[in-house]
Amino acid sequence: MRAALLSAALFAACHVFLASTVTAAGWPLLLFTLYEGLICAFLRLRSGVIAAALAHGTAIFLLASALI
């Protein structure tokens, strides 16, 4: 549980530059990445790295397709 929380927090922290300079999304993007990081971390613990990678890829695809 502690590793999943730390992993999600680090995942969100790595997106600070993206949220603050590249996009105008700001804090909502950081909250989303924290939430997605938690989901992917728990998926990794429960179902393995393939499930977590697929969930992350699906989230990116859905976000990108909504912006187009």
Side-chain angles (χ1 to χ4, degrees), residues 3 5 7 10 12 16-20 24 27 34-35 40-42 44-51 58 66-68:
L5 292 172
S7 175
L10 288 173
V16 168
F17 178 76
L18 175 70
S20 62
W27 288 105
L34 180 64
Y35 180 69
C40 289
F42 286 123
R44 165 59 181 93
L45 290 173
R46 185 175 185 146
S47 302
V49 71
I50 302 266
T58 302
L67 295 176
I68 293 176

Side-chain angles (χ1 to χ4, degrees), residues 4 6-7 9 11 15 22 34-35 43 47-48 52 64:
L6 180 61
S7 175
F11 181 70
H15 287 82
V22 178
L34 180 64
Y35 180 69
L43 274 174
S47 302

